Amino acid sequence: MGKITITALRLFITLVWLATNGTAHADEAKLRIGDIIAISLPGEEVLTGDFPIDRRGEIQLPEVGGIKLTGMSLPQASSAITAKLGTAFRDIGRLSVRVKESKLVVAVGGQVKLPGTVELPGDANVQVAITAAGGIAAGAQLDGTKIIRGSKVILFNYKKFLDTGDASILPQLEPLDVVFVPTSPLTGNVQIDFDAQTLARAGDGADEAKAISVFGEVINPAKFSYKPESTVVDMLMRAGGVTRYASVEQIRIIADGKPVLFNLQEYLDSGNANKLPLLKPGATIFVPIQEEQIRKGKHTVYVMGEVAKPGAFALQEGATFVDILANSGGPTRYADIRQIRILKSDGSVVMFDMNAFTEGKGGAIPDVKAGDAILLPEKVENLEPSWLKIPSSRVVQVIGAVYKPGRYEWSDEMTMFDLIAQAGGPTEQGDLSAIRILKNKDDIFKPQIFNLADFIKNGGSAQSVPKIHAGNVIIMPELPKDPTDNKSMWLAQSPARSIYIMGAVNSGGRYAFSSEMGFLDILTAADGPSKTADLRNIRISNRGGKLSEVHSFDFELYMETGDESLLPRVKNGDVIYVPDREQDWTERSVENTVRVIGAVAKPGRYKFTDRMSILDLLAEAGGPNELALQDRIVVVNIGKEAKASYFDLISFSRTADYSKLPVVRNGDTVYVPDQSQSHWNRFMTGVRDTSQIVALVAAIASL
Amino acid sequence: MVMNRAAILLLAACLLDGCAHNWPLEGHGGLAERDKPCDPAIGQALQAIEYLKSTPGLRPPSKVAAAEERLIRASRESQAGLYADASHSYDEAVQMLGTDPQNVRRPRQICTLNNNQEGR
């Protein structure tokens, strides 16, 4: 019972103390601008009402004017008001003064949505003021907010308040304070309507000196505000994380001018926080791109050379050589998969012929372990710099008119076509019709000629293609350049591969010839026959055999009939001679000419065809001269039988009786006698001679 | 008497000289192809040539052309009385056409033109 009484007594005392102190506290509160003072004086309506303390700290009362109340407690204010009113009113003993409402007037400026003066409850804080101003606008620098109180500036970290909810971070507002929310420097000097996501990506590092710069292969490179408890991983996460190309094993952190390498992969694999480097204010984090650095690790294999995606690959348990090769995109078309090399971590080299393996010709898939390197060399070209290392017994040499002459490593599985293709193929001047293969046997080279042009055109058995072996030499000859421009080029042209054309042509000479060409090609190459060419008697000397065979070709007959079978077949080494129609008659053969002798302008041997007549012949010989006995032109036919006949040109010219034209053929003779051979002349000669004899006899008789 | 002998001697000398120098017969056949060949075999061969010329592909045109020329020569020779030569030319023409000369009829008809004319 006694205990209960004591407890109740203590409780009573406490309540009384609280009540007294609370009232005292309220009375002692200083009045501020914005407080509303409620005054009541019964019987005086003008003095009954609410009177706010204005910006000057005064209330305005009727008759007495302004009374400054700020800084006073309520009793002090009541006394001041009573004293002031006592000067104008009587009976103010019933005057009552109390604080009806406490209000706070502040201005909110900067990066808020509705900057301006706001009227707040007396106990409002900064957050209430900002909210009354519409809230924070995008682009605000939350850790740089400030309150301007007269000439005093109070900085505070509003972001920190938002993060922690710690109201003590916020300064106590006072009337007429200016709450200023600055703009983030990352927004630059250009007014842009920012969205929150963009701004967040741009980072929040307003303090240049302390902000952490994160760039490289991260999603949102930016400057972020430094926090002592932040780690590199936090910063990377704030930057949106790393990209798929990031080299997470080679992240570089620069702090205090010293770079530190951070292996994020290793940290994530181990979970060891000791591997996290210390992040200092102002540090720079750089995440390099994967290709720009060297990956190295105890689980790494390297694939180099002619693969689609060379690089370092993490070797998973159970992964084979084929898996690794497939991950690297596989060999490119330039890869020499016969010469794959596995460079073991212990320094040894394992060769692998993937081609043979895929063809089932043996070999086993090589074992690849972490630290090994797989090299797929390029097919041939990359061997060139080290050609000295390849002995001649393993190469074939390709020289002459190909695009890439040189030494080529040879495998007997390849063909001559592979080799020519590898050498870039023949140049435009390459002569495919006479590829020369020098084969070495017992240190003696023997040539073999292969007509690839003919093979390409007509095909043929694969057996007919020369077999190439290492040590052979392939020579692609070059077609001669135009020898008419530079005849010295003929020296470079093999006689066995030339054809000759001479005589009555415009550009006689020696021309390169192939089996694909014909007589017309050569005649055209020689710029055709000259105007005086005797096209009926073109001679071709075939020089292929031991003895040359000479054939005649009537080109005019070919032109008349178009008979292709007339065209002579010519080949390299042959000689074509086109005679001149105006050649001296003594140069013409007897069998193919008609002799015209006697009293004509141009006696000689003349060409004659079976469509000509004696009239053509006489015209060709310039016609009978003035002494000719024109009515007794004699034709002597010499064939199976010999016979003579005469032709009366004078009579023919009068009668045009062509049935009296004598037959003339090659080998015959036409004789045009002169007038001394006429009967009258012969008679007169006889008379003269006889008269001389008679005179002589008479003279002798008179003796 | 002496004058009579001299006159006789002079006349004889003149006659001997002029009459002893005989000209050959006048020639023929120089353009015999303008007329119908006197030998039917040549005529038939020329008709065959015309057929071959109008039907390309049966024989090489150059062979046909050469055979035609040779037949023209045979025709001329035949008309000129050079029968052996005419027969030879005919054989050559037949050969050019790719026919065995043994299997064709040979020209046998002797053309009788004015081959007996004497020279002056």
Side-chain angles (χ1 to χ4, degrees):
Chain A
M1 184 64 187
K3 285 184 180 176
I4 296 172
T5 305
I6 293 170
T7 305
L9 184 61
R10 285 178 178 171
L11 181 62
F12 175 75
I13 293 169
T14 304
L15 288 172
V16 170
W17 183 84
L18 283 172
T20 359
N21 280 290
T23 308
H25 179 75
D27 289 344
E28 291 175 2
K30 305 295 183 187
L31 293 175
R32 300 183 304 183
I33 294 170
D35 288 348
I36 298 174
I37 305 298
I39 298 174
S40 173
L41 182 62
E44 289 292 342
E45 289 184 2
V46 295
L47 289 176
T48 301
D50 297 337
F51 298 90
I53 301 175
D54 61 16
R55 288 177 173 271
R56 291 174 294 181
E58 298 176 347
I59 58 172
Q60 301 298 325
L61 295 176
E63 302 295 332
V64 295
I67 304 171
K68 187 173 178 66
L69 298 180
T70 52
M72 296 180 180
S73 64
L74 183 61
Q76 291 171 335
S78 180
S79 299
I81 293 169
T82 301
K84 189 77 174 183
L85 288 175
T87 59
F89 294 90
R90 296 178 181 174
D91 194 16
I92 58 173
R94 290 184 294 169
L95 178 73
S96 69
V97 177
R98 63 183 178 90
V99 178
K100 182 181 182 183
E101 189 178 0
S102 180
K103 286 193 175 182
L104 188 62
V105 177
V106 296
V108 183
Q111 200 68 10
V112 292
K113 291 178 181 174
L114 299 170
T117 302
V118 292
E119 195 175 84
L120 307 171
D123 57 352
N125 62 10
V126 172
Q127 186 179 24
V128 175
I130 291 172
T131 304
I136 297 291
Q141 182 67 43
L142 296 182
D143 60 350
T145 45
K146 60 184 76 171
I147 290 173
I148 304 167
R149 186 172 294 159
S151 58
K152 186 178 177 184
V153 175
I154 305 167
L155 283 171
F156 64 99
N157 191 338
Y158 187 64
K159 177 68 170 57
K160 190 173 182 180
F161 162 73
L162 293 176
D163 291 342
T164 62
D166 182 5
S168 67
I169 295 172
L170 302 178
Q172 193 72 35
L173 283 177
E174 291 189 5
L176 303 182
D177 278 354
V178 176
V179 179
F180 182 73
V181 181
T183 305
S184 170
L186 298 177
T187 59
N189 296 322
V190 179
Q191 171 59 34
I192 302 172
D193 290 332
F194 297 97
D195 63 276
Q197 279 188 329
T198 305
L199 287 169
R201 283 200 297 269
D204 61 349
D207 189 344
E208 291 284 340
K210 292 184 179 179
I212 307 295
S213 301
V214 185
F215 68 102
E217 286 300 321
V218 291
I219 302 296
N220 297 317
K223 281 190 171 184
F224 299 100
S225 58
Y226 169 76
K227 294 175 182 175
E229 65 275 15
S230 295
T231 65
V232 176
V233 176
D234 294 331
M235 287 299 156
L236 291 175
M237 289 174 66
R238 292 196 66 183
V242 297
T243 70
R244 56 180 296 205
Y245 305 108
S247 174
V248 294
E249 296 171 343
Q250 299 287 322
I251 295 173
R252 297 183 185 103
I253 297 152
I254 302 168
D256 298 335
K258 294 179 182 176
V260 177
L261 207 60
F262 171 51
N263 189 338
L264 177 61
Q265 182 69 49
E266 191 177 31
Y267 166 72
L268 295 175
D269 288 345
S270 66
N272 185 356
N274 293 329
K275 295 185 180 298
L276 279 174
L278 187 62
L279 199 60
K280 294 181 179 176
T284 299
I285 300 173
F286 171 61
V287 182
I289 195 167
Q290 200 168 33
E291 283 79 359
E292 293 175 351
Q293 46 79 46
I294 300 168
R295 301 181 70 180
K296 185 182 177 187
K298 60 182 179 182
H299 301 299
T300 307
V301 291
Y302 310 91
V303 185
M304 303 176 284
E306 287 298 330
V307 291
K309 292 186 293 181
F313 296 88
L315 183 64
Q316 302 297 325
E317 190 175 350
T320 65
F321 168 82
V322 176
D323 296 324
I324 298 165
L325 201 58
N327 270 293
S328 67
T332 68
R333 55 187 292 221
Y334 305 108
D336 185 359
I337 59 173
R338 297 168 186 273
Q339 308 275 349
I340 296 176
R341 298 177 177 89
I342 294 94
L343 314 176
K344 308 296 288 184
S345 55
D346 61 3
S348 62
V349 178
V350 176
M351 299 290 290
F352 176 54
D353 186 344
M354 192 172 181
N355 190 61
F357 177 77
T358 54
E359 292 176 354
K361 294 180 180 176
I365 291 188
D367 187 26
V368 179
K369 294 179 178 174
D372 292 350
I374 300 169
L375 171 64
L376 279 84
E378 195 177 347
K379 270 179 183 165
V380 168
E381 285 75 2
N382 64 345
L383 296 177
E384 287 179 356
S386 59
W387 67 273
L388 285 171
K389 297 177 182 175
I390 307 172
S392 296
S393 58
R394 282 176 52 198
V395 299
V396 174
Q397 298 169 57
V398 183
I399 56 180
V402 292
Y403 281 104
K404 290 188 291 182
R407 302 167 83 245
Y408 292 91
E409 196 163 8
W410 183 254
S411 167
D412 282 343
E413 296 167 3
M414 293 195 281
T415 67
M416 193 177 78
F417 301 122
D418 295 324
L419 187 66
I420 293 174
Q422 194 66 17
T427 64
E428 290 180 359
Q429 289 297 313
D431 186 358
L432 292 176
S433 64
I435 296 175
R436 183 177 290 260
I437 301 121
L438 288 177
K439 295 189 171 183
N440 185 1
K441 188 176 183 181
D442 300 330
D443 286 338
I444 296 175
F445 280 97
K446 290 187 177 177
Q448 179 183 356
I449 305 297
F450 178 58
N451 189 340
L452 179 57
D454 183 63
F455 188 85
I456 292 170
K457 183 179 181 183
N458 302 316
S461 163
Q463 302 298 323
S464 63
V465 180
K467 300 290 181 191
I468 308 296
H469 301 288
N472 290 170
V473 180
I474 314 292
I475 302 161
M476 180 72 73
E478 191 173 70
L479 289 169
K481 294 172 185 172
D482 185 2
T484 56
D485 292 339
N486 182 4
K487 291 193 175 184
S488 65
M489 291 301 297
W490 283 352
L491 295 173
Q493 184 179 325
S494 163
R497 303 195 57 247
S498 304
I499 197 164
Y500 305 81
I501 183 165
M502 53 189 76
V505 291
N506 290 314
S507 297
R510 197 170 75 176
Y511 291 89
F513 192 67
S514 74
S515 58
E516 294 179 353
M517 299 180 186
F519 175 83
L520 295 179
D521 296 307
I522 296 304
L523 195 59
T524 306
D527 292 339
S530 67
K531 290 180 181 177
T532 59
D534 183 3
L535 298 178
R536 288 199 178 274
N537 291 285
I538 295 176
R539 306 292 174 86
I540 294 105
S541 173
N542 297 125
R543 301 168 63 220
K546 291 182 179 178
L547 295 174
S548 295
E549 292 181 8
V550 179
H551 303 280
S552 181
F553 168 52
D554 187 344
F555 188 66
E556 282 192 0
L557 182 59
Y558 167 75
M559 296 303 294
E560 289 166 5
T561 63
D563 187 355
E564 294 284 333
S565 66
L566 279 178
L567 291 173
R569 303 190 71 174
V570 289
K571 57 184 184 302
N572 278 320
D574 287 354
V575 179
I576 299 170
Y577 174 67
V578 182
D580 199 316
R581 276 188 282 110
E582 296 177 356
Q583 63 185 326
D584 191 82
W585 61 268
T586 57
E587 298 173 5
R588 296 171 185 156
S589 69
V590 175
E591 296 79 14
N592 295 317
T593 53
V594 175
R595 301 179 193 86
V596 181
I597 56 178
V600 291
K602 292 187 293 182
R605 284 205 297 267
Y606 292 94
K607 291 187 176 300
F608 191 78
T609 71
D610 289 325
R611 292 187 184 275
M612 295 166 67
S613 72
I614 189 171
L615 299 175
D616 301 307
L617 203 58
L618 290 172
E620 185 81 8
N625 61 24
E626 65 274 12
L627 299 175
L629 188 58
Q630 298 182 19
D631 57 350
R632 280 298 182 274
I633 297 172
V634 177
V635 177
V636 180
N637 301 118
I638 302 173
K640 296 288 182 186
E641 51 195 309
K643 186 180 178 182
S645 58
Y646 82 87
F647 169 54
D648 186 347
L649 178 59
I650 294 174
S651 171
F652 177 79
S653 64
R654 289 173 183 161
T655 63
D657 182 5
Y658 59 82
S659 69
K660 293 187 176 178
L661 290 171
V663 64
V664 180
R665 306 157 304 175
N666 277 325
D668 291 347
T669 301
V670 174
Y671 168 58
V672 182
D674 59 29
Q675 291 174 357
S676 64
Q677 301 298 313
S678 68
H679 285 285
W680 175 249
N681 279 341
R682 294 182 70 87
F683 172 75
M684 291 306 298
T685 302
V687 170
R688 187 170 57 249
D689 293 344
T690 304
S691 60
Q692 289 174 350
I693 292 169
V694 169
L696 181 62
V697 170
I700 294 170
S702 63
L703 293 175
Chain B
M1 185 63 184
V2 174
M3 289 301 292
N4 288 338
R5 286 179 182 176
I8 292 168
L9 186 60
L10 179 61
L11 182 61
C14 292
L15 290 175
L16 280 173
D17 183 72
C19 297
H21 185 73
N22 289 334
W23 293 100
L25 299 179
E26 189 170 23
H28 298 280
L31 283 176
E33 68 273 17
R34 291 186 168 229
D35 300 322
K36 184 181 177 182
C38 62
D39 190 292
I42 296 174
Q44 287 174 6
L46 285 171
Q47 283 181 355
I49 291 288
E50 290 302 318
Y51 173 74
L52 290 172
K53 285 166 70 177
S54 63
T55 314
L58 294 178
R59 291 286 187 280
S62 61
K63 298 283 185 187
V64 175
E68 186 181 24
E69 279 205 13
R70 202 51 54 94
L71 281 174
I72 289 171
R73 185 195 291 186
S75 179
R76 289 181 177 186
E77 290 169 337
S78 175
Q79 200 170 62
L82 301 167
Y83 304 119
D85 289 341
S87 181
H88 179 70
S89 297
Y90 180 84
D91 285 349
E92 285 183 336
V94 170
Q95 239 172 357
M96 286 174 184
L97 292 175
T99 309
D100 186 354
Q102 302 297 326
N103 299 330
V104 298
R105 192 162 64 88
R106 312 291 291 276
R108 292 197 175 107
Q109 183 167 337
I110 297 172
C111 296
T112 52
L113 293 174
N114 300 326
N115 291 340
N116 297 325
Q117 290 181 354
E118 291 291 332
R120 282 182 287 180

